[in-house]
């Protein structure tokens, strides 16, 4: 029965992706089928050994330590702006981007990231056939998260086609950074969190290969020089010249702050818009969140959740969509003890992603920080981006049902 519901959940996501595909005739079904097989192997391996869990937990602690380091500068400059025990989203969540940007700039400067990009891209592309940039981005978002990961391709963003923009932003919405794992593991069972991180890498590419099929030729820019150009200046009379080290640090810090401000502006707009919709529904006696929860109940059943728990699960799934994963996880904690182990596992995996309305604003703001034109392109397919990332979460959640 668990295998049957896993199949129905996956088929539901693929069929919906097919309906909303930009070009159905161009779909190469070999790609999603190959990645589905890889996911089955991942699920069986991750849920039956401790190697993957130990490795990802260690990496998560490493990235959390980087964010702790960033607090030194933040506390020095903005420490007096927060009340003791309080938390301001811009200061605690967005400002660490400045330090992350500088760190990425240093890795670029010493050619470490270009080396990783080249060879990780080659390996993952051999498995997925999605293109070296797309494959690299799917992996790097699971290490850096978004919007930080866009800093690694800031020179490439203005040159990307609309098709590639859709694929990388779908990965951005479907993945979560390693730095977030510690927080998630305090609210969800660790083995489900880690498995979800691995599954989401391929789920995003599966959905993108159906909704947004194209042949990636990597002609937008030479992949081996992806980040090297971020440290050089060039003009019409001289060859590209590497900028001084401390100038690079200044430029990188400015880029990080630029993204932080752009993201904050977009969050103000999108979250306020969602609150306005909720208020309008309340005026006519309807609970917008609960209403969407009932809509999600059949989807919860399709992906393997028992019908008597489907309404509760659907409400949690809807909460994640209209708010964010943290709010949904807190609601889930209150209900977890009343749900079966199977439902707990499926919902846990579903919640580990950034697929929600607010993240659309973050991604649009991040891209606009480097290119207004490209940011507008992302905004033009925002709803299809939200659909794709949500379907990716459905595939991951369906997959975990195989072993529950």
């Amino acid at each position: 029965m668990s295998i049957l519901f896993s199949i129905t959940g996956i088929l539901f996501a693929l069929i919906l992706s097919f309906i909303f595909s930009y070009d159905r005739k161009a779909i190469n079904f070999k790609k999603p089928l190959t990645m589905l097989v890889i996911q089955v192997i991942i699920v069986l391996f991750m849920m039956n050994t401790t190697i993957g869990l130990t490795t990802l937990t260690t990496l998560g602690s490493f990235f959390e330590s980087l964010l702790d380091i960033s607090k030194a500068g933040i506390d020095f400059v903005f420490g007096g702006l927060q009340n003791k025990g309080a938390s301001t989203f811009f200061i605690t969540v967005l400002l660490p981007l400045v330090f992350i940007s500088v760190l990425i700039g240093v890795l670029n400067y010493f050619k470490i990231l270009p080396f990783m990009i080249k060879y990780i891209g080659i390996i993952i592309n051999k498995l997925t056939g999605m293109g070296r940039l797309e494959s690299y981005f799917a992996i790097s978002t699971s290490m850096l998260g978004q919007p930080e990961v866009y800093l690694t391709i800031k020179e490439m963003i203005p040159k990307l086609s609309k098709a590639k923009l859709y694929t990388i932003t779908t990965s951005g919405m479907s993945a979560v950074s390693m730095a977030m794992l510690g927080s998630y593991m305090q609210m969800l069972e660790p083995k489900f969190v880690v498995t979800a991180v691995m599954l989401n890498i391929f789920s995003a590419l599966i959905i993108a290969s159906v909704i947004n099929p194209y042949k990636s030729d990597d002609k937008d820019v030479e992949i081996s020089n992806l980040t090297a150009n971020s440290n050089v200046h060039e003009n019409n009379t001289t060859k590209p010249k590497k900028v001084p080290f401390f100038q690079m640090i200044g430029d990188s810090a400015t880029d990080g702050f630029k993204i932080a401000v752009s993201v904050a502006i977009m969050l103000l707009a999108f979250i306020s818009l969602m609150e306005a919709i909720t208020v309008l529904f309340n005026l006519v006696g309807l609970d917008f969140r609960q209403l969407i929860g009932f809509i999600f109940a059949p989807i919860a059943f399709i992906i393997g959740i028992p019908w008597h728990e489907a309404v509760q699960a659907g409400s949690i799934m809807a909460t994640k969509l209209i708010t964010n994963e943290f709010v949904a996880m807190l609601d889930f904690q209150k209900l977890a003890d009343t749900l079966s182990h199977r439902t707990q596992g499926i919902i846990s995996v579903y919640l580990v992603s950034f697929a929600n309305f607010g993240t659309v604003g973050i991604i649009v703001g991040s891209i606009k920080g480097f290119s207004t034109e490209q940011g507008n392109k992302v905004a033009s397919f925002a709803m299809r981006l939200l659909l794709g990332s949500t379907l990716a979460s459905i595939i991951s959640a369906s997959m975990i049902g195989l072993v529950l």
Side-chain angles (χ1 to χ4, degrees), residues 43-191:
V43 166
L44 296 176
F45 175 76
M46 296 298 293
M47 297 299 291
N48 290 285
T49 71
T50 58
I51 298 175
L53 178 62
T54 301
T55 302
L56 289 178
T57 302
T58 301
L59 288 172
S61 299
F62 170 72
F63 280 101
E64 283 187 321
S65 67
L66 293 181
L67 295 179
D68 289 338
I69 292 172
S70 73
K71 291 179 182 178
I74 295 172
D75 289 342
F76 180 80
V77 178
F78 296 99
L81 295 182
Q82 288 190 139
N83 293 326
K84 187 175 182 180
S87 177
T88 303
F89 184 84
F90 182 76
I91 293 177
T92 60
V93 178
L94 296 183
L95 282 184
L97 282 169
V98 177
F99 174 70
I100 296 295
S101 177
V102 172
L103 180 61
I104 291 171
V106 172
L107 294 175
N108 281 339
Y109 192 87
F110 292 107
K111 305 296 177 66
I112 297 172
L113 268 182
F115 178 84
M116 294 174 60
I117 288 167
K118 179 178 180 180
Y119 291 101
I120 292 177
I122 290 174
I123 294 171
I124 301 303
N125 185 41
K126 291 293 184 181
L127 295 174
T128 65
M130 289 295 293
R132 287 177 289 173
L133 170 65
E134 294 85 345
S135 300
Y136 154 74
F137 205 85
I139 297 297
S140 59
T141 47
S142 296
M143 294 190 289
L144 296 173
Q146 56 84 26
E148 295 93 333
V149 71
Y150 297 107
L151 292 165
T152 69
I153 61 167
K154 63 181 182 179
E155 296 298 319
M156 180 184 279
I157 286 175
K159 306 172 186 178
L160 294 178
S161 65
K162 187 175 181 179
K164 287 189 182 235
L165 276 174
Y166 181 86
T167 299
I168 68 170
T169 50
T170 299
S171 289
M173 286 192 69
S174 300
V176 296
S177 68
M178 300 298 291
M180 304 294 288
L181 291 185
S183 298
Y184 290 165
M185 287 178 183
Q186 295 180 49
M187 295 181 280
L188 304 173
E189 195 168 343
K191 65 180 181 181

